[in-house]
Amino acid sequence: MLNQTILIAALGLAFSAAQAQTAPQQSYPLPTPVQQAIVDKDTSRHFGDAPADGGPLATDLSPALQSAAIDKALRKVADWQLERTQRHLDRIWTSAVLFTGFMAASEATGDSKYRDAMLAMSKQFQWDLKGPYPNADDISVAQTYLELYELYPSPEKLAPTRAHLDILIGLKTLRPGDERLPWWWCDALFMGPPVWLKMYKATGERKYLDYVHEQWQKTSELLYDKEAHLYARDASYIGKTEPNGKKIFWSRGEGWVMGGLARTIDYIPADDPKRPFYIQQLREMSAAVARLQGADGLWHAGLLDPAAYPQPEISGSALFVYGMAYGINKGYLDEKTYRPVIERAWAGILKSIYADGRLGGIQQTGAEPAFYRPASSFNYGVGGFLLAASELKKMAAKK
């Protein structure tokens, strides 16, 4: 009887342990039917997927901000994603963000395979964009085209994008018949400005730089909340509130802007009188975001109502790390203030990496906070992670 009692107790403990292991997967709200339809669509378009179980988490990664440790995490995620990406290449913005990450990964690791894959992709699409009148999402792939042009200059890498930009530059609105601003949503500040500025660098023609100054200012005047120092996702969200009554500020949307600033500032001449505007916005947003960091080091889909969205969101968190690490590396942000923020965030992000290299905790496409599964992984979020890791390697090298 004693042995039987011990056996029953042991089985009970085992069951409790199993429950504890699966509890995190069940403790977050699942996507609503509307949100699940977006997940299913994203999966069908090969942006990523959202399995109920992503398998075991990685146990071989260190959160130390040291080159070798960062490199290991970077490669683990990049290798897993590269294999999946090469099966389904496209020029959609989701992939375009990932491509920027792959380019950064090659620079950071010295491994050309990521850049070589981007060269093959660019040749497959003949260095062209989706048209006509491509918006910021549609031109974002040209960030990679133009980075490859910087490394290996040749006319065919430049000409198609330049032809598109020269049409767009004459438009005062998004496109004929659409009166919205060219960059009417905050995500556009990541997708578009780096293309225009890289074209400015490649050609020396000031008109591309002036276009960025004009359009960023218009978008900022429309969407930047001067009290919160955060962006509304688009004008339709101004005045909308979260369940707790606070304003809606979507973490990935803010991440897009901070990432866009990091990819923009270096291309603006040091003596340009408008350059301080971008640096000041990076400082203001970094301070605002740092104040909202969670105890786990991460940020939630709804920045001002984390209780309504209890699961940390990795794509926004990674882009925050990218923007702040860039700010430290360039001397725009105080390292004593922001390095601890980054250290906590990086440690938290690594907890969403699975043993096979999957990066989880990434919200599906959308325009506002939503629910998602812990193993949810989409390519644009991986792109943000690779940019963050690459910038952290630069920061680690300074020590």
Side-chain angles (χ1 to χ4, degrees):
M1 179 64 71
L2 180 61
N3 288 341
Q4 185 178 7
T5 301
I6 293 173
L7 177 61
I8 291 172
L11 289 172
L13 288 172
F15 178 73
S16 297
Q19 279 192 315
Q21 289 175 356
T22 59
Q25 302 257 354
Q26 300 172 344
S27 61
Y28 302 114
L30 293 176
T32 65
V34 171
Q35 293 165 358
Q36 186 60 46
I38 297 173
V39 173
D40 295 340
K41 183 178 180 180
D42 288 353
T43 302
S44 71
R45 298 179 76 185
H46 309 293
F47 298 170
D49 59 13
D53 183 0
L57 292 168
T59 58
D60 60 342
L61 301 177
S62 167
L65 294 187
Q66 298 172 349
S67 292
I70 297 166
D71 194 86
K72 185 174 183 178
L74 192 164
R75 289 174 181 270
K76 188 179 190 73
V77 172
D79 289 349
W80 181 84
Q81 185 66 54
L82 182 63
E83 190 275 331
R84 292 164 66 89
T85 297
Q86 288 179 309
R87 304 178 213 160
H88 306 288
L89 288 172
D90 60 46
R91 294 172 291 179
I92 300 171
W93 68 267
T94 64
S95 294
V97 175
L98 175 62
F99 297 161
T100 69
F102 280 142
M103 291 295 290
S106 269
E107 180 184 0
T109 63
D111 191 336
S112 67
K113 68 181 177 183
Y114 310 113
R115 183 172 58 245
D116 291 345
M118 297 301 91
L119 186 59
M121 175 277 299
S122 302
K123 290 178 178 177
Q124 176 179 324
F125 294 120
Q126 299 181 307
W127 308 92
D128 204 357
L129 310 178
K130 295 164 57 180
Y133 304 114
N135 64 17
D137 285 347
D138 294 333
I139 73 167
S140 58
V141 69
Q143 294 190 44
T144 296
Y145 297 164
L146 289 166
E147 286 181 30
L148 288 165
Y149 175 84
E150 290 181 34
L151 295 170
Y152 319 111
S154 57
E156 78 279 2
K157 298 182 178 70
L158 204 65
T161 298
R162 189 175 189 177
H164 283 290
L165 297 190
D166 285 347
I167 293 172
L168 295 175
I169 205 168
L171 302 178
K172 296 300 182 184
T173 61
L174 184 66
R175 59 173 61 89
D178 190 328
E179 296 302 311
R180 291 176 296 180
L181 295 177
W183 300 339
W184 58 268
W185 70 116
C186 72
D187 316 30
L189 298 179
F190 180 98
M191 309 298 167
V195 175
W196 291 86
L197 291 170
K198 290 175 191 293
M199 186 62 72
Y200 162 64
K201 180 179 180 180
T203 64
E205 293 192 35
R206 174 86 193 191
K207 65 181 182 179
Y208 300 115
L209 172 62
D210 290 341
Y211 183 87
V212 171
H213 288 331
E214 178 186 1
Q215 299 304 333
W216 194 302
Q217 189 67 45
K218 288 180 179 178
T219 300
S220 182
E221 289 172 358
L222 178 65
L223 302 181
Y224 190 56
D225 189 308
K226 293 180 175 59
E227 294 179 357
H229 292 153
L230 297 169
Y231 272 78
R233 193 273 176 176
D234 59 62
S236 72
Y237 285 89
I238 298 173
K240 288 185 179 180
T241 57
E242 296 280 17
N244 65 1
K246 295 185 179 180
K247 296 176 182 178
I248 296 177
F249 292 116
W250 179 42
S251 65
R252 189 160 68 234
E254 311 309 324
W256 289 135
V257 180
M258 288 181 62
L261 287 164
R263 298 183 65 76
T264 291
I265 294 171
D266 282 354
Y267 287 87
I268 301 173
D271 61 352
D272 190 309
K274 295 188 178 180
R275 194 168 191 265
F277 163 82
Y278 301 92
I279 296 172
Q280 181 62 20
Q281 200 155 87
L282 178 63
R283 288 172 174 159
E284 290 176 356
M285 294 189 71
S286 295
V289 164
R291 287 193 294 269
L292 297 170
Q293 186 177 33
D296 58 1
L298 301 175
W299 292 266
H300 297 241
L303 285 179
L304 302 191
D305 194 357
Y309 306 94
Q311 184 179 353
E313 206 285 314
I314 299 302
S315 64
S317 296
L319 289 164
F320 294 154
V321 168
Y322 173 47
M324 287 187 280
Y326 167 84
I328 289 174
N329 289 339
K330 296 297 181 178
Y332 306 139
L333 298 179
D334 176 58
E335 184 167 1
K336 289 184 179 179
T337 300
Y338 289 97
R339 186 182 177 95
V341 176
I342 290 171
E343 288 176 339
R344 291 192 295 270
W346 185 243
I349 289 169
L350 294 189
K351 293 177 182 177
S352 286
I353 299 177
Y354 288 76
D356 60 1
R358 168 187 292 272
L359 178 66
I362 299 170
Q363 183 188 328
Q364 61 273 8
T365 61
E368 63 186 8
F371 304 131
Y372 43 90
R373 293 182 181 275
S376 173
S377 184
F378 294 101
N379 51 8
Y380 46 85
V382 175
F385 172 86
L386 298 180
L387 290 171
S390 299
E391 200 64 35
L392 285 181
K393 280 201 72 176
K394 296 177 186 177
M395 196 169 83
K398 292 170 58 180
K399 288 295 182 179

